[in-house]
Amino acid sequence: MTDLSPTRRQVLIAGGAALGAAAFAGWGTASASPVRDPFTLGVASGDPLPDGVVLWTRLAPEPLAADGLGGMPSKAVPVEWQVAADERFRHVVRAGAEIARPESAHTVHAEVSGLRPGAEYFYRFRVGNEISPVGRTKTAPRPGARLDRFSFAFASCQNYPDGFYTAHAHLAQEDLDLVAFLGDYIYEGNGQGSIGRGHTPAAETFNLADYRVRLAQYKGDADLQAAHAAFPWAVVFDDHEVENNWAGDISQPDTEPDQDPAVFRQRRAQAFQAYWEHMPLRRAQRPSGPDIRIFRRLTFGDLVDVHLLDTRQYRDDQVAGDARLDPSRTILGAQQKEWLLRNLSGPTARWNVLAQQVFFAQRDFTSGTADSFSDDAWDNYYVERNLVRSKLAQASNPVVITGDVHANYVADVKADFEDPASATVATELVGTSISSGGDGTDQNSGDRVQLAENPHIKFINRKRGYVRNTITRDSWTADYRIVDYVTRPGAPVQTRASFVIEAGRAGARQV
C-alpha cells in the first residue's frame, strides 16, 4: 500500500475543487446545485467486501441547525458518486447516483459493487456543481485467498469537549487497510469542558434532532474527517451513542422519563436512526425502530476474520456481587451468541478477532482476598464469558480487541483466571480513548493494584491515542500509539509500547 504522505493527505481532504479541471473527468455538465457547500461533514467508506464498499456522505450546509435537518430543503436531492483507480479520477471504474432524502437527514449510503478484490480506490460525490472532498478506500481480498499482511488500527471514546482529535490526525497518516471504531463515537451528555469545544446542543440528547446535531458536531472535526477519508472503517456502538451504561431496554438509573422502558426504547430508536445516518454502514444495518443488527463478520483473505460484536442491545442489566455468577445472564443475547459460537466453530481465517466494546478478561480492583469487578464488563456476565473463552481456545489465533475504559491494556486470556499457571488461550488488546478523560497520565495508583491482583494483565497506560496492528502469517504486532496531551492541539505521536503475539502461541510479549 502506498504511504499517505502529508502532501497526498492534503489532496484527499482538500475537496474536488482543488483538483482543477481533471476533477470533472467522467462527469457531464453540472446542473445548478440546490444548495451551496453541502459537504461540510466530509466523506467516509466502510465495511469492505471483496467486490465493494459502502460510501457515505451527508448533505448539510448548516450542520448544526437545531432542527437536525442540516439546513437542507425538505425535498429529495440526487447525489452522484464516482469511484476511480487514481486520485485524479482519470480512470473512473464505477459511477452512480443515490437519492438523499429528508427523512434520512439527506445522508447517502452507496453500496458499490463490481470492484477488484484487495484494491485501492478513490471516491467522491457531486450535487449540482458542488463536489465533495476525495476519499480513499480499499476492498477486502477474496475469502480464502492467501494474504501475507494486513494492517489496521482500532480506536474508541472520543468525547468532544474533553480534547482535540490529535490522535485522529496522526491516524490519518498511518499505512492501514482498515480502522475499527469500537464505540462511544459521540457522548450524549451536556458537557461543555474547558477548552472551547462544548457540546451542541448544550443539553443531553433525547430526540432525533438532537442526536443528529450532536453527530454532525463530531463529524465536523477536520481531524476526524481526515481519518475517515483515508481508510475504510468498521464501526460498532457502545453506550454513549444512546445513554451512559444502558443495557437492553433499561436506561441508566436516574430521574429522567426514560426510566419507563417504553420511553427508553423510543429514545434508543431515535439514537440508532441518527447513528446509522452518520456511519458508513450497509442497508442491512439500518435500524427498525429500537432494533439494529450491528453484529457482523468481515473477512480479509485467509488471514483475518473480524467478528464485530454488540455488547449493549441484548445484555441483561448490570448486577452487584455474586449475582453476576447466575448462569442465565447474557451480554450477547441468544441469537448473537449462537452466531458467534457457530462462526468460531466453522472454517475461519488464520487469525480470529473479536472486535467489541467492554473489558473481556477478569479485572479485580481490590487488594488481598476480597475482590471487586466492574459491573459494566464481561466480569458481570461470568458464565457466558467463560463459554466464549472456551470457544476461543478452540479457534485459530484468537485476539480480543476492546475499547471503553480510556486506557491501554494488554492481557492474557487464561483458561482459569484464578490460576496464573493455567493455559493462556487468547490475547486481549485494549485501546485507550481518542480524547475522553482529557490528557491522561502514564499510570495511576490503582493500576499498581490491578497489576498485582491480575497477573494476566501485562501492561496499563492511560495516555490518549490508538492501537496500530500489523498482522502477518507468523505474528501480530500491536503498537500502542499515544499523544501526551489533547487539551490543546499539536501533540506529536509516539509508540509507548509494542507487543507481539506469535501465531500458534496465545499471549503477548513486549518487544
Side-chain angles (χ1 to χ4, degrees), residues 324-326 329 362 378-387 389 418:
R324 72 190 186 96
L325 305 178
D326 182 344
R329 289 180 52 69
Q362 181 168 292
W378 284 80
D379 275 330
N380 208 238
Y381 306 85
Y382 178 84
V383 173
E384 188 163 278
R385 191 264 310 279
N386 291 350
L387 172 65
R389 177 188 60 191
E418 300 300 332

Side-chain angles (χ1 to χ4, degrees), residues 289-486:
D291 303 311
I292 182 173
R293 175 157 174 169
I294 203 75
F295 65 88
R296 60 205 191 278
R297 179 167 71 173
L298 299 176
T299 295
F300 299 89
D302 68 345
L303 190 62
V304 183
D305 275 339
V306 180
H307 309 264
L308 295 142
L309 303 187
D310 176 350
T311 60
R312 284 288 160 194
Q313 192 174 180
Y314 314 109
R315 68 158 68 183
D316 292 320
D317 198 12
Q318 296 92 335
V319 295
D322 287 346
R324 72 190 186 96
L325 305 178
D326 182 344
S328 70
R329 289 180 52 69
T330 184
I331 190 171
L332 296 175
Q335 181 184 16
Q336 181 179 202
K337 179 171 66 175
E338 191 275 333
W339 166 86
L340 177 61
L341 298 181
R342 184 179 68 249
N343 279 353
L344 293 175
S345 298
T348 63
R350 187 170 180 84
W351 295 88
N352 280 273
V353 184
L354 264 59
Q356 55 94 52
Q357 297 82 356
V358 294
F359 216 99
F360 185 83
Q362 181 168 292
R363 194 167 48 135
D364 179 6
F365 296 99
T366 302
S367 295
T369 56
D371 53 36
S372 61
F373 306 99
S374 170
D375 65 4
D376 197 42
W378 284 80
D379 275 330
N380 208 238
Y381 306 85
Y382 178 84
V383 173
E384 188 163 278
R385 191 264 310 279
N386 291 350
L387 172 65
V388 172
R389 177 188 60 191
S390 296
K391 185 58 68 174
L392 286 174
Q394 302 169 27
S396 175
N397 297 311
V399 178
V400 182
I401 61 173
T402 302
D404 181 60
V405 295
H406 309 171
N408 292 310
Y409 285 78
V410 176
D412 291 342
V413 177
K414 306 297 286 185
D416 180 356
F417 286 115
E418 300 300 332
D419 179 9
S422 68
T424 297
V425 301
T427 304
E428 183 172 19
L429 306 174
V430 182
T432 187
S433 64
I434 290 291
S435 62
S436 302
D439 290 336
T441 185
D442 196 63
Q443 285 189 355
N444 61 32
S445 58
D447 294 335
R448 291 192 290 273
V449 173
Q450 287 189 56
L451 290 167
E453 290 296 309
N454 306 277
H456 54 279
I457 295 178
K458 307 299 184 183
F459 172 71
I460 306 176
N461 168 266
R462 296 185 180 276
K463 288 292 187 177
R464 308 296 158 229
Y466 53 92
V467 184
R468 181 182 65 194
N469 306 271
T470 304
I471 305 173
T472 69
R473 305 193 74 79
D474 298 324
S475 65
W476 174 315
T477 301
D479 299 316
Y480 282 79
R481 304 279 280 165
I482 65 166
V483 294
D484 278 337
Y485 53 87
V486 294

Side-chain angles (χ1 to χ4, degrees), residues 33-152:
S33 176
V35 290
R36 295 294 303 273
D37 194 21
F39 299 109
T40 59
L41 303 182
V43 299
S45 68
D47 277 23
L49 298 177
D51 70 336
V53 295
V54 181
L55 306 181
W56 174 92
T57 194
R58 179 188 173 195
L59 310 182
E62 299 173 23
L64 302 185
D67 61 5
L69 301 179
M72 287 292 294
S74 183
K75 64 179 182 180
V77 178
V79 180
E80 298 171 88
W81 54 265
Q82 287 183 326
V83 176
D86 66 300
E87 60 199 272
R88 295 282 175 174
F89 289 81
R90 295 185 179 97
H91 304 287
V92 174
V93 298
R94 286 288 182 274
E98 299 288 328
I99 302 298
R101 302 184 185 280
E103 57 267 30
S104 297
H106 289 95
T107 58
V108 174
H109 299 75
E111 297 189 20
V112 181
S113 60
L115 303 179
R116 292 184 296 111
E120 178 183 74
Y121 291 99
F122 300 86
Y123 62 93
R124 63 184 180 179
F125 300 89
R126 186 177 77 169
V127 174
N129 56 7
E130 300 281 345
I131 298 181
S132 75
V134 174
R136 172 200 166 277
T137 193
K138 189 176 183 182
T139 54
R142 288 189 181 92
R146 182 181 174 92
L147 183 63
D148 292 325
R149 183 183 185 275
F150 182 77
S151 181
F152 81 103

